[in-house]
Amino acid sequence: TDEEQEWLEQQMARNPAPEAAQPDEDVAATMAAEQAATQPTSQDTPAPAAAQAEGDYDDVMKMIEENRRRNEAKRAAQSARNAEIIAAYEARVNGGAQQG
């Protein structure tokens, strides 16, 4: 609720946890350094930016398509399991009703 959120914010303002903030800053600095090291600079990249952006777009679209296919396969497998569960349940309920 809003009251709980307000209380939590007050507690956090009163008792900041410096030991909790320190690792986040270290991680952020490390990530920024790694990203800077892995990102090519404009001097390192002789290819035009438009061509690189087009390649990035194609890569992203390929990843999206692969993810969509995986999700469809997962949904199909889950639907098959659901159908088996329903069939087993109906057999048990209908079989039990006929015996009783």
Side-chain angles (χ1 to χ4, degrees), residues 10-48:
Q10 289 174 356
Q11 295 301 316
M12 291 171 58
R14 287 185 201 149
N15 302 322
E19 65 277 356
Q22 185 65 29
D24 290 341
E25 293 171 3
D26 291 343
V27 169
T30 303
M31 288 177 61
E34 289 175 357
Q35 186 176 18
T38 59
Q39 292 287 332
T41 63
S42 58
Q43 297 168 351
D44 296 338
T45 313

Side-chain angles (χ1 to χ4, degrees), residues 22 26 32 34 41 43 55 57-58 64 71 77 86-87 89 92 96:
Q22 185 65 29
D26 291 343
E34 289 175 357
T41 63
Q43 297 168 351
Y57 175 80
D58 291 341
I64 289 171
N71 288 341
I86 291 169
Y89 172 77
R92 187 176 62 210

Side-chain angles (χ1 to χ4, degrees):
T1 64
D2 292 336
E3 293 172 352
E4 293 170 334
Q5 183 65 32
E6 184 178 333
W7 177 85
L8 180 60
E9 289 173 359
Q10 289 174 356
Q11 295 301 316
M12 291 171 58
R14 287 185 201 149
N15 302 322
E19 65 277 356
Q22 185 65 29
D24 290 341
E25 293 171 3
D26 291 343
V27 169
T30 303
M31 288 177 61
E34 289 175 357
Q35 186 176 18
T38 59
Q39 292 287 332
T41 63
S42 58
Q43 297 168 351
D44 296 338
T45 313
Q52 184 177 2
E54 182 69 24
D56 290 346
Y57 175 80
D58 291 341
D59 291 344
V60 169
M61 293 306 293
K62 184 178 177 181
M63 288 172 36
I64 289 171
E65 184 63 23
E66 290 171 357
N67 191 29
R68 185 186 63 76
R69 285 190 203 121
R70 277 195 305 271
N71 288 341
E72 285 180 356
K74 287 179 185 177
R75 279 194 293 274
Q78 185 62 49
S79 293
R81 284 192 295 269
N82 290 351
E84 291 175 4
I85 292 168
I86 291 169
Y89 172 77
E90 289 176 348
R92 187 176 62 210
V93 169
N94 293 335
Q98 292 173 355
Q99 292 174 0

